[in-house]
């Protein structure tokens, strides 16, 4: 019997603010929310007898997926479900109609139906892709309850909104070993992302073995690259999880690492060294020499055979053309061929590379710089400089992906990534035919400040919000609901082996040399790394700089500061409850009292000395907040001198301190602004 409507956000056409229909309607803790769900009465219990049965079409990948589900469930519950035993009578029935494509194809059916009752679970799908997704939905629904580990009864009918839901990882600026890639593929599977875009080459490293041009990895990677066997292993691992792997070899710019061994590819004579700094650099391939295309043809042939996916990314971004301007040979080529400027020269290069990519049986993809008059229509445009290029591309007959707004390296809150929609902005005005060319989007993990140690916390949990944007109905937009479910997903991802939470405490432990991290964590919990691209302008960094400071350890988004901001919203609006006032005072007192505890410890470690002024400043910010709360509660005016001096102090505290932001200061500033004007 259906006792309640689905969680309102789970229904595509329901208002996000509608009240649940009945008292039992606890929102489903799923991310991404399914396209359709109906909650039922009761729950399915998970105990040591839990067992799975496969019906219909079968293949080894399904059995492996079942074992993986049991492993995660065993970790989460502590119940030894992953042991091999025939004790259990199956209660989880998986019915698969038929196979999926041998090489996973864009736009394959990923739908599934999951029916959970108190007695049994039935998961059905046209092919294994839907089964994989349905298993993740089941895992997300499990929770500890007074009755043990249970899964609420529900009927889910689900399919994705967009067929291309990706995560790009840059392994050039900081190399990421295979195990890091694998655990992040596990995270992608958990939130139903289906494309791993592997940014394999850039100025700072060429990261894959090329038997044809071994100088690429031998001289261009400092020894940090993947063997072809390792690449195959990752591709198989991804396929097991319903994830395509699209390689990117960035050209004609962002290619210095190629030139270390093959300087003749560049537009100026060498020698070249692997780039160690961050930014945009001048070296670029020479688009006027046939030898350049012969090399590219041979390399793409080799890589097209290694990577089975139908799509092949050639980058194309940020070529500044300075080497082209400075080369008399290139200038005379442009003159002879009536190529008017560098954009036209890059378009010429793009056309020739596209022909090579097509000859090797692949569809080319490039960053939005490749969108030029004359660019072949089957090139897929990845929009990063702004969403407008996506709408422009779709109008011009090109297919495209949105990444503008999904740059998770910029350290922005999950809400900022949750808002941009591939069919938002100008794309909302496209015809249905044009809109159908918008395939989805990709989160991008550029790795200037990302190491194997902290990469998980830069990707998760915020990427789950992007995954929801790309999977769930467009009407799913409630930010509070997103944050509530993001917290659940973040916790669950730990059972998949992701280290986005544990790396934080481990890194704090390094900073204190094993001493108690409690006080350092109080500070870390309310600061964030500076936003956007500012970090590189505040301090000198290169690829050898240790990323072992507080800025590298703390999550990009402070959950405590976000919750404090909501308390301050309520207090300044006059709607805060007594409990909210108490919570605000308790936090401010904690932050105020932390400094005397922390100061002596900070001085003991070279990694934390720089935090001494920040800790003192947090203490004073908190003291201001406590004074403001007292005055607000008593409806008293502040002393004018005090208010003037503290407002100016708070303003200064909102600016970057070193490379960190005090995320409490803006909220305390708002409390002071709210105080009655004296007199
Ligand atoms: C890019 O961020 N340069 C594509």
């Amino acid at each position: 019997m259906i006792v309640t409507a689905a969680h309102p956000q789970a229904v595509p056409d329901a208002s996000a603010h509608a009240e649940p229909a009945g008292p039992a309607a606890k929102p489903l803790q799923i991310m991404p929310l399914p396209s359709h769900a109906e909650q039922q009465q009761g729950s399915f219990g998970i105990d040591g007898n839990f067992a799975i049965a496969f019906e219909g079409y079968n293949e080894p990948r399904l059995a492996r997926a079942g074992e993986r589900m049991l492993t995660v469930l065993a970790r989460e519950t502590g119940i030894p479900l992953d042991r091999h035993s025939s004790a259990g009578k199956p209660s989880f029935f998986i019915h698969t109609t038929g196979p999926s494509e041998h090489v996973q194809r864009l736009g394959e059916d990923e739908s599934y139906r999951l029916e959970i009752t108190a007695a049994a679970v039935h998961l059905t799908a046209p092919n294994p892709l839907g089964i994989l997704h349905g298993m993740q939905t089941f895992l997300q629904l499990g929770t500890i309850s007074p009755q043990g580990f249970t899964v609420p009864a529900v009927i889910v009918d689900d399919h994705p909104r967009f067929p291309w839901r990706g995560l790009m990882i840059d392994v050039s600026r900081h190399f990421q070993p295979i195990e890091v890639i694998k655990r992040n593929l596990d995270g992608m599977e958990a939130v139903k992302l289906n494309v791993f875009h592997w940014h394999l080459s850039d100025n700072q490293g060429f990261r894959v073995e090329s038997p044809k041009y071994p100088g690429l990895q031998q001289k261009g990677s400092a020894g940090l690259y993947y063997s072809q066997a390792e690449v195959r292993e990752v591709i198989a691992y991804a396929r097991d999880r319903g994830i395509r792997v699209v390689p990117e070899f960035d050209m004609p710019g962002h290619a210095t690492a190629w030139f270390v061994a093959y300087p003749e590819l560049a537009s100026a004579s060498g020698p070249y060294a692997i780039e160690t700094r961050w930014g945009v650099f001048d070296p670029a391939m020479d688009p006027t020499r046939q030898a350049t295309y012969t090399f590219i043809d041979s390399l793409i042939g080799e890589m097209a055979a290694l990577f089975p996916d139908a799509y092949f990314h050639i980058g194309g971004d940020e070529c500044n053309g300075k080497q082209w301007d400075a080369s008399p040979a290139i200038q005379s080529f442009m003159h002879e061929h009536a190529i008017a400027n560098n954009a036209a020269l890059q378009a010429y290069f793009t056309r020739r590379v596209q022909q090579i990519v097509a000859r090797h049986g692949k569809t080319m993809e490039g960053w939005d710089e490749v969108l030029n008059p004359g660019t072949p229509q089957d090139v897929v445009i990845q929009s990063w400089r702004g969403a407008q290029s996506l709408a422009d591309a779709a109008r011009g007959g090109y297919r495209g992906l949105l990444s503008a707004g999904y740059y998770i390296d910029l350290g922005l809150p999950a809400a900022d990534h949750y808002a941009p929609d591939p069919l938002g902005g100008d794309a909302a005005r496209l015809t249905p035919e044009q809109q159908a060319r918008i395939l989805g989007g990709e989160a991008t993990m550029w790795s200037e400040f990302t190491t194997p140690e902290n990469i998980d916390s830069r990707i998760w949990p915020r990427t789950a919000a992007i995954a929801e944007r790309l999977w769930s109905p467009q009407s799913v937009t409630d930010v509070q609901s997103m944050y509530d479910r993001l917290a659940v997903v973040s916790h669950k991802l730990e059972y998949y082996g992701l280290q986005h939470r544990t790396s934080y405490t481990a890194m704090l432990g390094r900073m204190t040399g094993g001493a108690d991290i409690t006080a350092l964590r109080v500070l870390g919990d309310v600061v964030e790394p500076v936003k956007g691209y500012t970090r590189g302008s505040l301090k000198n960094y290169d690829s050898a700089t240790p990323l072992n400071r507080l800025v590298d350890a703390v999550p990009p988004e402070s959950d405590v500061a976000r919750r404090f901001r909501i308390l301050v919203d309520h207090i300044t609006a006059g709607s805060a409850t007594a409990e909210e006032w108490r919570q605000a005072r308790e936090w401010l007192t904690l932050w105020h009292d932390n400094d005397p505890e922390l100061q002596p410890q900070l001085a003991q470690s070279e990694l934390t000395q720089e935090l001494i002024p920040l800790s003192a400043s947090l203490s004073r910010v908190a003291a201001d907040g406590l004074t403001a709360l007292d005055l607000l509660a008593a409806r008293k005016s502040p002393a004018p001198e005090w208010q003037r001096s503290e407002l100016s102090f708070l303003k200064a505290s909102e600016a970057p301190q070193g490379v960190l932001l005090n995320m409490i200061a803006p909220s305390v500033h708002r409390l002071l602004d709210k105080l009655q004007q004296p007199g």
Side-chain angles (χ1 to χ4, degrees):
M1 183 186 69
I2 299 171
V3 292
T4 70
H7 177 46
Q9 283 95 49
V11 181
D13 51 4
S15 153
H17 301 289
E19 286 301 312
K26 182 165 182 267
L28 293 173
Q29 301 294 309
I30 308 177
M31 194 159 210
L33 277 175
S35 47
H36 188 82
E38 286 173 8
Q39 281 185 252
Q40 315 282 304
Q41 207 157 31
S43 61
F44 174 84
I46 293 167
D47 60 23
N49 293 319
F50 182 79
I52 308 171
F54 291 93
E55 300 166 348
Y57 170 79
N58 209 344
E59 63 176 40
R61 179 166 60 155
L62 286 167
R64 289 194 293 272
E67 280 169 25
R68 209 157 57 241
M69 183 171 83
L70 290 179
T71 301
V72 171
L73 210 48
R75 280 193 201 137
E76 178 172 351
T77 60
I79 301 170
L81 299 164
D82 44 353
R83 74 198 190 292
H84 287 276
S85 128
S86 53
K89 196 161 119 293
S91 52
F92 191 116
F93 301 92
I94 292 174
H95 187 95
T96 315
T97 310
S100 63
E101 304 275 342
H102 181 61
V103 173
Q104 192 173 322
R105 184 177 50 77
L106 172 68
E108 271 191 85
D109 193 336
E110 297 179 85
S111 68
Y112 68 92
R113 179 180 170 89
L114 179 67
E115 218 177 316
I116 303 171
T117 69
V121 180
H122 290 272
L123 172 59
T124 56
N127 68 53
L129 299 175
I131 299 296
L132 295 172
H133 295 319
M135 285 179 172
Q136 297 307 316
T137 300
F138 177 79
L139 282 173
Q140 288 196 5
L141 284 168
T143 183
I144 184 68
S145 77
Q147 289 76 42
F149 287 94
T150 57
V151 184
V154 67
I155 299 172
V156 175
D157 269 302
D158 200 10
H159 64 271
R161 179 170 166 228
F162 292 105
W164 191 308
R165 307 176 306 280
L167 169 64
M168 188 215 76
I169 298 181
D170 165 15
V171 298
S172 178
R173 289 173 177 80
H174 278 100
F175 182 68
Q176 305 294 338
I178 290 291
E179 67 269 19
V180 173
I181 299 299
K182 284 185 173 174
R183 68 180 189 243
N184 280 285
L185 287 166
D186 291 341
M188 289 177 69
E189 181 186 28
V191 298
K192 303 181 173 70
L193 290 174
N194 68 352
V195 181
F196 170 43
H197 168 174
W198 209 348
H199 184 82
L200 284 162
S201 74
D202 212 302
N203 299 317
Q204 294 82 1
F206 190 99
R207 303 297 186 193
V208 58
E209 174 191 13
S210 164
K212 278 198 181 128
Y213 298 108
L216 287 170
Q217 76 271 9
Q218 283 167 4
K219 295 193 173 163
S221 78
L224 299 174
Y225 64 93
Y226 311 105
S227 70
Q228 295 229 330
E230 286 174 319
V231 169
R232 284 193 199 95
E233 188 183 323
V234 166
I235 291 168
Y237 193 93
R239 174 179 162 74
D240 255 12
R241 287 153 182 77
I243 298 167
R244 299 165 41 214
V245 179
V246 175
E248 178 186 351
F249 295 91
D250 208 343
M251 59 183 95
H254 283 287
T256 304
W258 309 41
F259 307 152
V260 184
Y262 304 99
E264 64 275 15
L265 291 173
S267 302
S269 55
Y272 291 90
I274 294 173
E275 186 55 69
T276 58
R277 298 160 299 163
W278 311 137
V280 174
F281 299 96
D282 299 345
M285 290 179 187
D286 186 340
T288 69
R289 294 178 61 238
Q290 178 51 39
T292 304
Y293 299 103
T294 306
F295 186 104
I296 290 173
D297 190 5
S298 196
L299 182 76
I300 289 182
E302 180 176 53
M303 294 304 163
L306 179 61
F307 291 91
D309 198 80
Y311 292 79
F312 198 96
H313 204 307
I314 59 89
D317 56 320
E318 297 183 311
C319 179
N320 70 15
K322 287 191 187 168
Q323 277 197 343
W324 297 348
D325 294 338
S327 161
I330 292 174
Q331 291 305 308
S332 74
F333 179 93
M334 289 169 72
H335 188 73
E336 277 164 37
H337 292 79
I339 295 173
N341 52 38
N342 286 339
L345 183 59
Q346 185 168 346
Y348 167 82
F349 174 83
T350 303
R351 274 199 304 280
R352 293 203 54 179
V353 173
Q354 187 275 335
Q355 286 161 5
I356 292 169
V357 170
R359 208 159 50 242
H360 291 290
K362 307 288 186 182
T363 299
M364 192 178 104
E365 204 192 332
W367 299 105
D368 55 40
E369 284 95 333
V370 305
L371 182 59
N372 273 300
T375 300
Q377 291 244 316
D378 82 327
V379 172
V380 174
I381 307 297
Q382 184 160 13
S383 164
W384 75 279
R385 291 179 298 177
Q388 188 58 46
S389 61
L390 185 63
D392 292 345
R395 259 193 205 98
Y398 299 90
R399 293 175 302 158
L401 300 171
L402 185 64
S403 276
Y406 303 145
Y407 265 47
I408 52 176
D409 60 314
L410 302 183
L412 302 172
D416 287 30
H417 299 306
Y418 195 55
D421 191 294
L423 294 180
D426 191 31
R429 288 182 280 276
L430 297 173
T431 66
E433 189 192 351
Q434 291 164 342
Q435 287 192 340
R437 297 188 187 120
I438 293 180
L439 304 173
E442 284 186 1
T444 53
M445 182 73 265
W446 300 102
S447 66
E448 283 88 342
F449 299 105
T450 303
T451 66
E453 185 176 43
N454 75 359
I455 187 170
D456 294 10
S457 73
R458 273 57 197 141
I459 297 177
W460 309 106
R462 293 175 305 149
T463 295
I466 299 171
E468 174 154 289
R469 177 60 48 242
L470 298 173
W471 177 284
S472 304
Q474 190 168 15
S475 59
V476 175
T477 54
D478 186 274
V479 171
Q480 187 57 50
S481 162
M482 180 274 284
Y483 274 113
D484 290 347
R485 291 176 294 108
L486 195 66
V488 176
V489 167
S490 182
H491 169 69
K492 293 250 177 188
L493 286 174
E494 294 197 285
Y495 301 118
Y496 289 73
L498 283 160
Q499 300 174 9
H500 56 300
R501 294 192 187 203
T502 51
S503 69
Y504 179 25
T505 48
M507 291 174 81
L508 295 184
R510 171 193 291 136
M511 286 179 235
T512 64
D516 189 357
I517 62 168
T518 309
L520 183 56
R521 180 158 188 160
V522 168
L523 176 64
D525 280 352
V526 296
V527 298
E528 291 179 8
V530 288
K531 306 296 159 196
Y533 296 113
T534 47
R535 184 171 172 187
S537 64
L538 293 170
K539 250 175 102 170
N540 269 329
Y541 290 97
D542 64 27
S543 57
T545 309
L547 298 179
N548 56 5
R549 304 291 170 115
L550 191 63
V551 65
D552 303 301
V554 297
E557 179 172 19
S558 161
D559 207 45
V560 174
R562 185 179 60 79
R563 286 155 61 201
F564 183 69
R565 193 159 56 238
I566 294 170
L567 293 181
V568 168
D569 288 345
H570 295 176
I571 288 169
T572 55
S575 65
T577 63
E579 170 54 24
E580 287 176 321
W581 277 86
R582 191 202 59 73
Q583 177 68 71
R585 281 207 170 89
E586 184 179 303
W587 267 338
L588 288 164
T589 305
L590 172 73
W591 300 326
H592 174 256
D593 294 350
N594 194 55
D595 188 49
E597 299 280 327
L598 185 54
Q599 277 307 341
Q601 199 182 41
L602 293 177
Q604 300 301 312
S605 161
E606 195 243 342
L607 300 179
T608 55
Q609 279 166 355
E610 65 196 16
L611 303 172
I612 289 173
L614 180 67
S615 174
S617 152
L618 174 64
S619 186
R620 179 165 160 193
V621 167
D624 287 348
L626 285 167
T627 304
L629 287 188
D630 286 346
L631 291 167
L632 282 171
R635 297 174 197 283
K636 279 195 183 149
S637 302
E641 270 312 304
W642 175 87
Q643 193 175 26
R644 237 191 324 275
S645 74
E646 294 317 288
L647 278 173
S648 118
F649 161 72
L650 287 169
K651 203 155 181 294
S653 307
E654 288 168 46
Q657 302 182 53
V659 288
L660 286 162
L661 292 168
N662 176 335
M663 299 307 291
I664 299 305
S667 295
V668 170
H669 192 154
R670 284 164 55 220
L671 286 175
L672 262 71
D673 279 342
K674 189 71 187 171
L675 294 175
Q676 290 175 20
Q677 295 311 307

